[in-house]
């Protein structure tokens, strides 16, 4: 775990209003490179909205989203960028809470489409592609290699030619992560990747995310309800409730935070925690990873 | 309509598994409905009377036949649907539809090649007379239009109801360029494609944010706008009178008329043949065949390129596309432009074949027919377009006596396909790249997928 990691993302005073509804209220936090930063909170807390602001799907009402691109050294103000440019130029990748694959296209095709911009450049307005010039064929070969690498990594090589809509749920989740990684992002935003996975798949996912962080050296933002995942692999946790940040720190600190316990368990502070919940909270820190 | 009628009522007069009472009720409802519907269509018939005005005559006998047909048809449908033993629908699916689909699927390339060879041999075969080659040429035009529209609708998933506009732009571009500058068909053909593509982009810009029904309505409007402009811009387009005397195409400078223009040579003189109008007809057929094959090959190839894959990805999920850094604007515009370009090619062919064009050839119904060809054939299916175009263009052409019922059959065919093959006659999608093929690994069979 890297403690000296450089700053990747700085969110300053992010506010998002939908008409009268304040979905995010003056949120500021930071995420470092080569770290997993988790955003947790009850349903409707505004987590997905944060992602939508970060990835250019929503324009924030107020606030600043600064990305320090670790490879090029550039600084990008994500809130000013046109939707697809966030992924194309600033290299922020994401997955969706309700999986969004190209259903009728095969697993391999999904991963190749993700490399669209690289391939498009090599195909020189499709002319090099139509003529099968070496410059394009080489690029396509490389795209297939990268896709193969990620298929191996998420265990989908055997199903490479399946239509992605026919994959089991867990495979679809992993394919979506692989597809985002094929865009070679510097920051990857994962919206509830463990939702709907069984405990074994959930453990495998932990390993995958840790490997993405350590082997590929990128920063991850993770929205997750599954505490075994969150507590097991997060380097840093931000807790949201009703659009406001109520806690921010490492997993151990967040787990003890009275405001967090209150948000998760309701208003009755004086009451004893139900025993099974207390145990859950106590064990979840070690339960996630060996 | 009344699918639940039989199940919800307590059984009345039962004959075996058939509930006669419920069936009768269903049939009567159907008959009543069709009686009302056919009243204006069939029973009342407007005709020009002796004095030149319109007179309405009644045709109660035909009307009664239609209502009776609806009654009997519904009865048969109920028997067929309720019959538990035969399960005709499943049988049909098992014995005909699936194997036929599988056959087409497995032998795509072979079928395509055989079809191409047959098409090439057709004009010189015993079936190839003036009339049949002419009909085949029309068929080819619609196949080409279908393949062109397939790029927009089948691949990119953008529902375009105004495709005929590009056909018109191509036709008028050729006619005007050739008449104004005296350029030959072969010079004007690419230009017409470029103009049509340009109009594709012009249409594309305002509809970038629209999808589905809204997109369909705007494109429909666009098609009408083009037609209205052609109708009213009298100075340029000659309005409703159209443009006549459009130059015919030449084969490497050889003309197909009886007498050559000054300094020209005619085809029959050059080869020392008797003059025959057949030469031109056959030449036009080969020309459109070549253009259609070009369209097809281009589509097959571009599907495997980044642009083509992006079109399909856009059809599947635009939001996912944006999250991968793909620019939806460029992807949509390229689909509109390339689809329009092939419409433009087909349009200039149409102009040179007819020698005369007017806005009347480019009405909305043309767009509807082309779209129907794509949808009935199975979106994205190349062979499907050929078959659907046969049913929608060639059959009505061969059965001219039944002209009146053309729209009726058209509608019935649409309904039938939507009921039994909701995704078109031959709808399946081959992946643009197969991992098992490029790596030779065996375990990746698509057959195993859930
Ligand atoms: N496009 C929108 N228009 C209006 N309201 C919205 C929009 N998107 C989100 N909201 C509202 O913002 C609030 C936060 O929603 P968000 O989806 O971010 O919650 P979340 O934390 O992701 O919840 P969950 O855990 O259920 O996914 C909700 O009240 C939601 O209804
Ligand atoms: Mg959410």
């Amino acid at each position: 775990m890297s403690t000296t990691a450089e700053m990747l993302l700085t969110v300053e005073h992010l506010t998002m209003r939908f008409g009268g509804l304040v979905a995010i209220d003056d949120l500021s936090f930071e995420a470092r490179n080569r770290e997993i930063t988790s955003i947790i909170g009850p349903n409707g807390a505004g987590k997905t909205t944060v992602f939508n602001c970060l990835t250019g799907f929503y324009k924030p009402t107020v606030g600043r989203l600064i990305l320090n691109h670790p490879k090029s050294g550039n600084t990008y103000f994500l809130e000013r960028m046109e939707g697809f440019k966030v992924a194309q130029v600033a290299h922020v990748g994401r997955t969706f809470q309700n999986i969004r694959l190209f259903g009728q296209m095969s697993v391999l095709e999904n991963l190749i489409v993700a490399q669209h911009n690289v391939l498009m450049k090599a195909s020189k307005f499709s002319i090099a592609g139509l003529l099968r010039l070496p410059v394009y064929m080489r690029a396509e070969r490389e795209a297939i290699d990268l896709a193969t690498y990620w298929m191996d990594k998420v265990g989908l090589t055997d199903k490479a030619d399946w239509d992605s809509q026919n994959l089991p749920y867990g495979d679809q989740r992993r394919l979506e992560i692989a597809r985002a990684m094929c865009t070679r992002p510097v920051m990857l935003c994962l919206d509830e990747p463990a939702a709907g996975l069984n405990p074994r798949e959930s453990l495998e996912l932990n390993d995958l995310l840790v490997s993405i962080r350590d082997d590929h050296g990128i920063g991850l933002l993770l929205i997750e309800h599954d505490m075994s995942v969150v507590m097991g692999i997060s380097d840093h946790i931000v807790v949201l409730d009703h659009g406001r940040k109520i806690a921010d720190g490492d997993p151990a600190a967040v787990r003890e935070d009275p405001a967090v316990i209150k948000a998760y368990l309701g208003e009755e502070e004086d009451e004893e925690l139900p025993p099974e919940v207390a145990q859950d909270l106590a064990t979840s820190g070690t339960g996630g990873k060996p | 309509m009344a699918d639940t009628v039989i199940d919800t009522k307590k059984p009345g007069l039962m004959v075996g598994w058939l509930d006669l009472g419920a069936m009768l009720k269903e049939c009567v409802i159907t008959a009543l409905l069709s009686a009302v519907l056919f009243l204006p269509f069939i029973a009342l018939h407007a005709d020009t009377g002796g004095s030149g005005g319109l007179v309405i005559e009644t045709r109660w006998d035909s009307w009664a036949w239609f209502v009776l047909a609806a009654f009997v048809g519904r009865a048969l449908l109920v028997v067929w649907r309720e019959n538990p033993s035969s399960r005709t629908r499943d049988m049909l699916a098992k014995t005909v539809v699936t194997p036929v689909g599988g056959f087409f699927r497995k032998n795509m390339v072979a079928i395509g090649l055989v079809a191409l060879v047959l098409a090439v041999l057709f004009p010189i075969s015993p079936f190839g007379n003036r009339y049949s080659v002419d009909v085949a040429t029309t068929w080819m035009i619609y196949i080409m239009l279908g393949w062109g529209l397939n790029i927009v609708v089948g691949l990119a998933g953008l529902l375009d109801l105004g495709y005929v506009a590009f056909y018109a732009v191509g036709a008028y571009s050729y006619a005007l360029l050739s008449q104004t500058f005296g350029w030959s068909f072969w010079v004007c053909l690419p230009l017409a494609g470029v103009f049509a593509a340009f109009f594709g982009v012009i249409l594309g810009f305002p509809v970038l944010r629209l999808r589905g029904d809204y997109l369909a309505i705007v494109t429909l409007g666009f098609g009408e706008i083009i037609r209205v402009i052609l109708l009213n811009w009298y100075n340029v387009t000659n309005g409703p009178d159209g443009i006549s005397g459009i130059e015919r195409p030449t084969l490497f400078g050889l003309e197909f008329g009886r007498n050559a223009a000054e300094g020209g040579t005619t085809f029959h003189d050059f080869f020392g043949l008797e003059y025959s109008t057949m030469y031109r007809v056959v030449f036009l057929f080969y020309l459109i065949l070549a253009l259609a094959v070009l369209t097809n090959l281009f589509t097959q190839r571009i599907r495997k390129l980044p642009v083509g894959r992006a079109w399909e990805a856009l059809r599947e999920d635009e939001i996912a596309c944006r999250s991968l850094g793909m620019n939806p604007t460029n992807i949509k515009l390229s689909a509109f432009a390339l689809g329009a370009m092939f419409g433009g090619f087909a349009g200039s062919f149409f102009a040179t074949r007819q020698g005369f064009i007017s806005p009347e050839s480019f009405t909305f119904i043309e767009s509807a027919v082309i779209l129907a060809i794509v949808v009935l054939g199975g979106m994205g299916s190349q062979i499907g377009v050929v078959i659907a175009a046969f049913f929608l263009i060639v059959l009505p052409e061969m059965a001219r006596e039944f002209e009146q019922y053309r729209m009726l059959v058209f509608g019935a065919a649409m309904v039938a396909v939507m009921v039994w093959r909701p995704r078109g006659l031959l709808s399946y999608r081959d992946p643009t790249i197969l991992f098992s093929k490029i790596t030779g690994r065996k375990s990746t069979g698509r057959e195993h997928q859930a």
Side-chain angles (χ1 to χ4, degrees):
Chain A
M1 213 169 287
S2 39
T3 43
T4 56
E6 70 269 41
M7 202 59 68
L8 181 63
L9 174 76
T10 313
V11 174
E12 289 174 355
H13 306 291
L14 175 65
T15 301
M16 184 77 212
R17 289 196 200 97
F18 297 107
L21 179 97
V22 185
I24 309 174
D25 189 5
D26 196 24
L27 171 69
S28 301
F29 71 93
E30 289 171 341
R32 291 167 185 279
N33 197 16
R34 295 167 193 274
E35 280 195 3
I36 296 177
T37 305
S38 287
I39 303 177
I40 64 170
N43 289 108
K47 307 179 295 289
T48 299
T49 308
V50 172
F51 271 23
N52 284 339
C53 291
L54 281 174
T55 50
F57 285 92
Y58 293 162
K59 286 264 163 284
T61 319
V62 183
R64 207 168 234 206
L65 310 164
I66 306 158
L67 184 94
N68 293 311
H69 199 290
K71 288 185 187 137
S72 66
N74 290 344
T75 300
Y76 296 105
F77 295 95
L78 301 181
E79 80 280 2
R80 293 186 200 160
M81 297 172 73
E82 205 186 328
F84 69 94
K85 289 253 164 97
V86 172
Q88 191 185 62
V89 180
H91 297 115
V92 176
R94 77 169 287 181
T95 66
F96 296 87
Q97 188 166 354
N98 42 351
I99 307 173
R100 285 182 174 276
L101 291 170
F102 304 124
Q104 290 193 58
M105 302 177 83
S106 74
V107 170
L108 179 59
E109 283 178 310
N110 268 271
L111 299 181
I112 289 180
V113 167
Q115 304 173 56
H116 175 79
N117 289 320
V118 179
L119 286 171
M120 202 62 198
K121 213 167 177 187
S123 86
K124 312 262 181 258
F125 301 103
S126 297
I127 292 165
L130 282 171
L131 300 177
R132 302 177 145 267
L133 297 184
V135 53
Y136 174 72
M137 298 314 280
R138 199 176 325 120
E140 196 187 56
R141 189 70 246 171
E142 281 166 14
I144 294 170
D145 288 345
L146 184 64
T148 310
Y149 171 82
W150 280 106
M151 282 193 296
D152 283 336
K153 188 112 180 158
V154 301
L156 284 173
T157 315
D158 283 348
K159 296 171 182 165
D161 291 333
W162 285 33
D163 287 351
S164 61
Q165 64 192 1
N166 293 338
L167 291 175
Y169 194 79
D171 288 350
Q172 294 199 10
R173 283 254 176 241
R174 288 202 308 281
L175 174 58
E176 209 191 12
I177 296 173
R179 188 181 67 182
M181 285 310 293
C182 278
T183 65
R184 302 175 192 270
V186 297
M187 181 169 88
L188 178 62
C189 306
L190 300 163
D191 199 342
E192 302 198 16
L197 300 192
N198 63 37
R200 188 180 53 81
E201 290 176 322
S202 188
L203 277 181
E204 286 170 9
L205 180 75
N206 282 1
D207 293 342
L208 176 66
L209 299 188
V210 167
S211 152
I212 289 177
R213 173 191 68 190
D214 296 343
D215 305 340
H216 294 268
I218 69 170
L220 285 93
L221 280 190
L222 175 69
I223 295 178
E224 193 44 75
H225 282 297
D226 186 336
M227 284 303 144
S228 70
V229 176
V230 172
M231 295 299 168
I233 62 174
S234 303
D235 301 294
H236 174 194
I237 298 178
V238 176
V239 189
L240 292 187
D241 189 22
H242 292 102
R244 275 193 303 275
K245 184 167 90 172
I246 56 170
D248 189 343
D250 61 35
V254 164
R255 201 172 337 147
E256 321 276 72
D257 196 308
V260 177
I261 296 172
K262 183 173 139 190
Y264 266 88
L265 300 174
E267 293 300 320
E268 308 89 332
E269 273 176 279
D270 305 329
E271 267 178 42
E272 285 276 294
L273 292 180
E276 68 275 9
V277 174
Q279 199 187 344
D280 249 21
L281 281 172
T283 55
S284 54
T286 51
K289 268 203 64 174
Chain B
M1 182 173 54
D3 264 351
T4 51
V5 170
I6 289 188
D7 300 324
T8 51
K9 297 276 175 297
K10 59 177 181 284
L13 180 54
M14 296 294 289
V15 179
W17 39 264
L18 193 64
D19 183 346
L20 266 191
M23 172 172 146
L24 208 62
K25 186 173 161 202
E26 217 173 301
C27 294
V28 168
I29 292 175
T30 309
L32 281 178
L33 260 178
S34 52
V36 174
L37 274 178
F38 287 133
L39 197 70
F41 290 141
I42 307 285
L44 303 177
H45 181 63
D47 211 346
T48 41
S51 60
L54 276 179
V55 290
I56 290 187
E57 57 180 55
T58 52
R59 301 187 293 188
W60 295 114
D61 48 342
S62 328
W63 176 74
W65 280 115
F66 270 87
V67 174
L68 188 69
F71 185 91
V72 174
R74 186 79 199 185
L76 290 177
L77 189 69
V78 171
V79 171
W80 180 61
R81 193 185 61 198
E82 294 301 312
N83 185 346
S85 58
S86 73
R87 281 277 155 245
T88 334
R89 189 189 310 220
D90 294 350
M91 264 169 50
L92 205 67
K94 269 206 204 79
T95 55
V96 182
V97 179
T98 316
V100 169
F103 175 76
F104 271 103
R105 184 180 202 146
K106 284 201 195 81
N107 304 298
M108 265 320 272
V109 180
I111 291 173
L113 282 178
V114 169
L116 182 62
V117 170
L118 287 181
V120 170
L121 295 179
F122 175 68
I124 49 177
S125 76
F127 304 105
N129 55 46
R130 213 192 122 91
Y131 172 71
S132 66
V133 175
D134 213 43
V135 172
T137 306
T138 312
W139 184 17
M140 276 295 160
I141 293 182
Y142 281 89
I143 291 175
M144 176 163 177
L145 288 170
W147 283 341
L149 183 61
N150 221 340
I151 294 179
V152 185
V153 179
L155 293 183
L158 302 163
L159 190 52
D160 184 351
L161 277 178
Y163 192 62
V164 77
F166 309 122
Y167 189 42
V169 168
Y172 272 85
S173 304
Y174 169 57
L176 293 173
L177 285 174
S178 108
Q179 297 212 326
T180 317
F181 301 106
W183 291 342
S184 83
F185 175 75
W186 296 105
V187 176
C188 296
L189 181 72
L191 287 178
V194 170
F195 273 115
F198 177 68
F199 272 80
V201 173
I202 291 193
L203 164 66
F205 262 110
V207 301
L208 280 173
R209 293 164 162 275
L210 304 179
R211 296 218 112 219
D213 310 357
Y214 302 100
L215 177 66
I217 291 168
V218 176
T219 52
L220 190 156
F222 180 81
E224 284 301 283
I225 290 171
I226 296 285
R227 192 178 61 85
V228 170
I229 289 176
L230 294 178
L231 210 49
N232 290 289
W233 196 7
Y234 210 93
N235 302 338
V236 177
T237 65
N238 210 18
D241 301 339
I243 302 176
S244 53
I246 299 171
E247 202 186 296
R248 298 318 197 91
T250 56
L251 175 67
F252 300 110
L254 300 177
E255 295 167 34
F256 287 90
R258 181 177 287 280
N259 302 307
E262 233 172 283
T265 322
T266 60
F267 178 79
H268 59 101
D269 277 347
F270 187 83
F271 287 100
L273 301 164
E274 250 334 84
Y275 171 72
S276 158
T277 50
M278 188 70 187
Y279 297 140
R280 174 185 287 155
V281 175
V282 171
F283 171 65
L284 285 172
F285 174 77
Y286 282 130
L287 180 57
I288 187 68
L289 182 64
L291 286 174
V293 168
L294 180 82
T295 312
N296 189 316
L297 292 181
F298 180 86
T299 316
Q300 305 273 10
R301 182 55 83 73
I302 202 139
R303 250 194 84 206
K304 303 192 164 123
L305 293 184
V307 208
R309 294 205 180 105
W311 290 338
E312 293 200 74
L314 188 81
R315 176 194 68 204
E316 296 295 310
D317 197 323
E318 183 171 342
I319 289 181
C321 282
R322 293 209 285 156
S323 83
L324 298 172
M326 298 157 73
N327 183 344
T329 307
N330 291 352
I331 299 173
K332 282 185 193 175
L333 289 184
S334 62
F336 273 122
L338 284 173
M341 184 180 79
F342 288 112
F345 288 155
S348 45
F349 173 82
F350 176 76
T352 195
R353 175 203 189 199
Q354 303 297 90
F356 165 76
I357 49 171
S358 76
E360 237 167 81
S361 311
F362 308 105
T363 51
F364 166 68
I365 196 72
E366 290 295 312
S367 289
V369 167
I370 304 167
L371 185 67
I373 288 173
V374 173
V375 174
L376 288 182
M379 298 235 226
S381 160
Q382 310 276 28
I383 292 259
V385 166
V386 178
I387 297 173
F390 179 83
F391 281 110
L392 292 185
I393 304 299
V394 181
L395 272 194
E397 191 67 40
M398 294 197 318
R400 280 235 167 240
E401 317 82 271
F402 303 111
E403 180 93 59
Q404 279 209 356
Y405 302 100
R406 189 177 161 171
M407 276 334 223
L408 205 67
V409 176
F410 193 80
M414 277 290 212
V415 171
V417 168
M418 286 304 124
V419 169
W420 286 299
R421 308 278 301 163
R423 304 189 45 210
L425 285 174
L426 295 173
S427 62
Y428 57 83
R429 180 185 174 278
D430 275 327
T432 56
I433 183 167
L434 278 175
F435 192 67
S436 46
K437 222 177 216 165
I438 52 176
T439 59
R441 289 207 218 178
K442 262 270 135 306
S443 55
T444 50
R446 281 167 61 75
E447 320 80 62
H448 302 300
Q449 57 189 3

